[in-house]
Amino acid sequence: MRQADFATPRAMAATPSTAATSAVQSNMRATDATGAGGNFSSVFRQVQGEVARFIEQGGGNATSLSPQGRAYLEQSQPVNVLGSINQGGEIGEVQQQFLASIKPWTEETGARLGVAPEIVAAHAALESGWGQRPLRQGTGTDTNNLFGIKAGGKWQGDVASNVTTEYEAGSGAALKKTERFRSYPDQASAFRDYAQVLLDNPRYRAALNTGADAGAFAQGLARGGYATDPNYATKLTQLATRLQRTAAAD
């Protein structure tokens, strides 16, 4: 995960739901050539559905997927957002400490947004690298900006400039840019501002009141333009689903 890939609304690059990768295209066209898979678009939709169900069920052993599904999953998730969670679903000590430190704010924010607190925690973990890659001021001071929210013209608070990766609309090319981000005095302020951003912007309405449905929340943010990362919704859905399963097992 690159720091601050996600921020307030901007142009979206093509998402995995609308643009197949070259590896998946090759596999599916090979299937079409044998006549076993019908036309290309039909096979692609089947693969999308297969991978979506796999993620909704919390991931796990990808060998249960078809060859096309495994190729799609691999290409659509170039960054392993579950790298800090072992194959047994257990979260490492550093990650547990991060989740414990933000728990009061994830519960408060989840209640305001109408979503499960684990989904809010996953969002913070995804964007901040489990709190290990925080946005910083030029002096090295932590901005407490766990959600990569940019400082637009109406922002009256402190600002920090950081390098971020943006994905160009259409081509999906990754570009490094220096952007201005919001800086907060503490984590509580960061979570409350994050909630207000989502509540105030009608583009994120579909993400609100989605309860424990991590996929619906992630898709609502993605469609609203929260991030330019074409794999954003997939990453957030998978991580949030795993955190929910871990919480249920406790």
Side-chain angles (χ1 to χ4, degrees), residues 26-235:
S26 176
N27 283 341
M28 289 192 291
R29 284 180 179 132
T31 300
D32 287 342
T34 67
N39 60 55
F40 173 76
S41 61
S42 175
V43 175
F44 182 42
R45 286 194 297 271
Q46 291 175 12
V47 171
Q48 284 182 302
E50 178 188 17
V51 173
R53 289 189 295 273
F54 175 79
I55 292 173
E56 288 172 359
Q57 293 167 3
N61 190 349
T63 58
S64 62
L65 294 171
S66 66
Q68 294 91 340
R70 290 196 297 273
Y72 183 87
L73 183 66
E74 179 180 354
Q75 292 295 319
S76 68
Q77 299 187 86
V79 177
N80 180 12
V81 298
L82 295 178
S84 299
I85 302 178
N86 66 29
Q87 293 182 350
E90 297 177 355
I91 301 174
E93 183 177 353
V94 171
Q95 290 69 40
Q96 289 177 355
Q97 291 174 351
F98 173 72
L99 294 175
S101 73
I102 63 174
K103 186 175 181 180
W105 318 126
T106 59
E107 292 178 344
E108 176 186 300
T109 304
R112 290 187 66 191
L113 299 178
V115 303
E118 293 82 12
I119 294 177
V120 178
H123 200 180
L126 182 65
E127 298 213 27
S128 67
W130 298 94
Q132 300 303 298
R133 296 195 304 274
L135 290 164
R136 295 190 180 280
Q137 298 272 17
T139 58
T141 303
D142 190 346
T143 67
N144 293 299
N145 189 338
L146 296 173
F147 297 95
I149 300 178
K150 287 184 177 179
K154 296 181 179 180
W155 175 246
Q156 300 299 311
D158 291 337
V159 173
S161 294
N162 279 262
V163 175
T164 180
T165 302
E166 301 283 357
Y167 293 83
E168 197 172 56
S171 68
L175 304 174
K176 293 289 186 181
K177 295 182 179 181
T178 298
E179 301 282 2
R180 298 168 71 250
F181 292 87
R182 300 183 183 189
S183 180
Y184 307 98
D186 49 49
Q187 288 187 343
S189 300
F191 275 89
R192 288 166 183 162
D193 185 56
Y194 161 73
Q196 204 61 51
V197 167
L198 299 191
L199 290 168
D200 289 346
N201 197 318
R203 295 177 65 173
Y204 303 134
R205 190 169 297 151
L208 304 178
N209 300 309
T210 49
D213 191 337
F217 178 80
Q219 289 293 337
L221 291 189
R223 289 169 184 158
Y226 193 92
T228 59
D229 183 348
N231 305 305
Y232 167 74
T234 300
K235 295 173 185 176

Side-chain angles (χ1 to χ4, degrees), residues 236-248:
L236 179 55
T237 300
Q238 187 172 7
L239 181 55
T241 300
R242 186 59 61 88
L243 291 188
Q244 288 175 307
R245 292 179 64 181
T246 300

